[in-house]
């Protein structure tokens, strides 16, 4: 059975330099994406649009097997609405998501897509190597999958080699910076819930809980993404700790309600 076509959606804001590295990793995939959809959440960084046009223009000449689509919100919408805009513009059977300050291992898409040959699979994701936050990750809780299907370290690992200690397994949810779903499932569910605002905490958890009613969600340890934590920008509002905690608790309450 042939591998399904994959659209990759990258939501970004004021991170042209990081996005360039992300795009390079996507165009260098051993299994090429059908298209790469960049959703710019109304960046206001000086000359950002000019920089983006330069970045996408330079890559378009290389993208012989992947179409690069650049969309821009007229005003700031946040990550959930930006993701939904990307979904609406996509045409692949599978939609994969990666952070704008992240980048993918060369076999990332191949290891995600191969699971979708099984029609019962509705979502697949993998671990995230925290290239700038490794010191804060406790090696004692890496790679442990609980009987309930949760991964105790929230999918973050210190080094790519740590993924060798993990096993593919059905799980309840995936990490937002490394997840993929069948497009038809996302369309039927009307995309991500836009009530998850601010830092959008819990938006991916909510989506996974809803997708899991359409089919199985698989954690694939060999589908590795890296997170090069940016000091500024992004589609999530985490400008202050007070702001972060407000949205953290607000969105958690919405999830449980």
């Amino acid at each position: 059975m042939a591998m399904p076509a994959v659209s990759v959606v990258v939501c970004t804001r004021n991170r042209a330099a990081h996005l360039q590295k992300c795009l390079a990793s996507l165009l260098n995939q051993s299994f090429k994406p059908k298209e790469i959809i960049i959703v710019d959440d109304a960046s206001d960084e000086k000359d950002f649009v000019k920089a983006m046009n330069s970045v996408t223009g330079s890559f378009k000449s290389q993208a012989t097997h992947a179409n690069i689509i650049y969309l821009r919100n007229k005003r700031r919408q946040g990550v959930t609405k930006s993701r939904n805009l990307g979904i609406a513009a996509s045409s692949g059977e599978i939609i994969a998501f990666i952070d704008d300050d992240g980048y993918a291992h060369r076999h990332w898409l191949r290891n995600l897509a191969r699971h979708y040959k099984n029609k019962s699979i509705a979502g697949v994701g993998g671990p995230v190597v925290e290239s700038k936050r490794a010191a804060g990750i406790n090696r004692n809780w890496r790679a442990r999958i609980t009987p309930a299907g949760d991964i105790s370290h929230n999918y973050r690992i210190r080094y790519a080699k740590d993924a060798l200690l993990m096993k593919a397994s059905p799980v309840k949810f995936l990490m937002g910076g490394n997840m993929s779903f069948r497009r038809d499932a996302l369309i039927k569910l009307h995309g991500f819930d836009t009530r998850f605002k601010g830092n959008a905490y819990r938006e991916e958890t909510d989506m996974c809980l809803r997708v899991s009613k359409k089919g199985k969600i698989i954690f694939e340890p060999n589908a590795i993404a890296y997170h090069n934590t940016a000091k500024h920008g992004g589609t999530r509002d985490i400008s202050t700790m007070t702001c972060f905690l407000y949205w953290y608790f607000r969105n958690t309450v919405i999830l449980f309600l």
Side-chain angles (χ1 to χ4, degrees):
M1 183 182 294
M3 298 271 270
V6 182
S7 301
V8 180
V9 174
V10 186
C11 300
T12 189
R13 176 176 164 80
N14 293 338
R15 288 177 176 172
H18 284 83
L19 184 60
Q20 186 169 0
K21 185 172 185 177
C22 180
L23 281 174
S25 74
L26 297 177
L27 291 172
N28 193 41
Q29 290 293 296
S30 59
F31 174 65
K32 303 298 182 184
K34 179 179 182 181
E35 59 199 2
I36 301 169
I37 303 170
I38 303 164
V39 184
D40 174 9
D41 193 21
S43 295
D44 53 17
E45 192 173 56
K46 184 178 180 181
D47 296 328
F48 180 86
V49 175
K50 182 179 179 181
M52 273 303 308
N53 289 334
S54 175
V55 168
T56 55
S58 65
F59 280 117
K60 280 181 180 180
S61 62
Q62 305 173 35
T64 55
H65 300 289
N67 182 30
I68 297 180
I69 301 170
Y70 175 45
L71 307 173
R72 177 177 167 83
N73 294 329
K74 292 182 178 179
R75 59 185 178 82
R76 193 171 185 182
Q77 299 288 325
V79 68
T80 51
K81 287 188 177 181
S82 296
R83 288 199 202 276
N84 289 343
L85 183 61
I87 292 169
S90 68
S91 60
E93 182 183 346
I94 308 302
I95 303 179
F97 299 89
I98 190 169
D99 289 346
D100 59 347
D101 60 347
Y103 55 98
H105 185 281
R106 189 168 186 273
H107 302 305
W108 176 61
L109 278 185
R110 182 178 297 278
N111 285 316
L112 289 177
R114 62 186 177 84
H115 284 279
Y116 288 104
K117 292 180 180 180
N118 183 339
K119 296 297 183 181
S120 69
I121 304 302
V124 185
V128 173
V129 179
E130 293 286 357
S131 56
K132 283 192 175 181
R133 292 193 288 184
I137 297 175
N138 187 336
R139 294 180 66 89
N140 294 327
W141 29 286
R142 68 170 190 248
R144 189 172 73 87
I145 300 175
T146 70
D150 297 325
I151 294 184
S152 59
H153 64 357
N154 199 26
Y155 306 88
R156 298 201 310 269
I157 56 178
R158 300 177 73 179
Y159 310 103
K161 64 181 181 180
D162 290 344
L164 297 174
L165 302 176
M166 310 172 84
K167 295 181 179 179
S169 174
V171 292
K172 288 184 176 180
F173 57 85
L174 303 168
M175 194 168 183
N178 186 356
M179 61 183 181
S180 67
F181 304 101
R182 291 192 184 275
R183 184 178 187 277
D184 59 355
L186 295 178
I187 296 298
K188 289 177 182 177
L189 293 169
H190 306 291
F192 288 80
D193 191 333
T194 56
R195 291 178 298 173
F196 292 92
K197 299 180 180 179
N199 60 15
Y201 193 76
R202 300 294 190 187
E203 51 100 15
E204 59 264 64
T205 306
D206 169 75
M207 175 55 74
C208 287
L209 290 174
R210 290 187 289 133
V211 168
S212 64
K213 297 178 181 180
K214 304 293 183 182
K216 295 179 182 178
I217 295 178
I218 299 295
F219 175 80
E220 171 50 65
N222 293 309
I224 298 171
Y226 297 82
H227 189 210
N228 188 24
T229 310
K231 293 182 179 179
H232 68 279
T235 55
R236 300 175 186 269
D237 186 359
I238 52 174
S239 53
T240 65
M241 181 55 69
T242 300
C243 178
F244 177 86
L245 291 174
Y246 168 77
W247 292 112
Y248 176 97
F249 288 110
R250 174 200 181 271
N251 291 341
T252 298
V253 169
I254 289 177
L255 178 71
F256 283 101
L257 289 179

